[in-house]
């Protein structure tokens, strides 16, 4: 069932979202300062490409002072906009019964977009 849902996800926008995350990741990694943020954007791209069955693991709360500072910088640089985008799409999908699984995956992406540092995708 996860494979079918992932294929539907890819057809109806997941591929475009993942490509956008991967392009943003490559652009961020062009500078030394942007490499940590590019790696976090790569995490979002991986989950956006194949969300069903992908788990997000926390390294523990709090995951360290550096991760907290990096998350705050991430919010300022656009993480809040990404999270708000996934929140809106999650609410939009949850309006119908058929869209609830896709809405829940958008909420999972929203949480990853809010706190990417200190999380592992697996």
């Amino acid at each position: 069932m996860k494979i079918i849902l992932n294929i539907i996800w890819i057809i109806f926008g997941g591929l475009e979202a993942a490509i956008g995350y991967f392009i943003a990741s490559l652009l961020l990694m062009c500078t030394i300062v942007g490499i940590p943020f590019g790696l976090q954007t790569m995490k979002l791209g991986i989950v956006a490409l194949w969300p069903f069955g992908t788990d997000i693991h926390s390294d523990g709360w709090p995951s360290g002072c550096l991760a907290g500072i990096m998350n705050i910088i991430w919010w300022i640089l656009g993480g809040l906009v990404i999270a708000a985008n996934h929140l809106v799409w999650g609410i939009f999908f949850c309006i119908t019964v058929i869209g609830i699984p896709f809405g829940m995956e958008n909420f999972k992406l929203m949480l990853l977009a809010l706190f990417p540092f200190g999380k592992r995708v697996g």
Side-chain angles (χ1 to χ4, degrees):
M1 189 62 156
K2 292 177 190 175
I3 294 173
I4 294 170
L5 289 171
N6 280 319
I7 291 170
I8 293 169
W9 175 274
I10 288 172
I11 290 171
F12 290 107
L15 182 63
E16 290 84 5
I19 289 171
Y21 283 129
F22 292 140
I23 290 171
S25 178
L26 291 174
L27 291 174
L28 283 167
M29 286 195 237
C30 287
T31 64
I32 293 174
V33 177
I35 290 174
F37 300 103
L39 293 174
Q40 303 314 311
T41 310
M42 190 72 69
K43 281 184 200 177
L44 284 164
I46 291 168
V47 178
L49 187 59
W50 202 257
F52 292 95
T54 303
D55 294 324
I56 299 169
H57 305 285
S58 179
D59 291 337
W61 185 262
S63 58
C65 181
L66 184 59
I69 292 169
M70 295 298 277
N71 278 327
I72 292 171
I73 295 170
W74 172 264
W75 294 340
I76 294 168
L77 294 177
L80 291 175
V81 175
I82 296 169
N85 184 23
H86 286 295
L87 175 66
V88 168
W89 278 107
I91 292 170
F92 176 74
F93 278 119
C94 285
I95 291 173
T96 63
V97 174
I98 295 171
I100 289 175
F102 300 101
M104 298 308 289
E105 293 305 311
N106 270 295
F107 294 143
K108 179 168 68 172
L109 279 163
M110 178 192 71
L111 290 175
L112 182 61
L114 280 176
F115 302 103
F117 290 93
K119 303 280 189 206
R120 288 180 290 118
V121 174

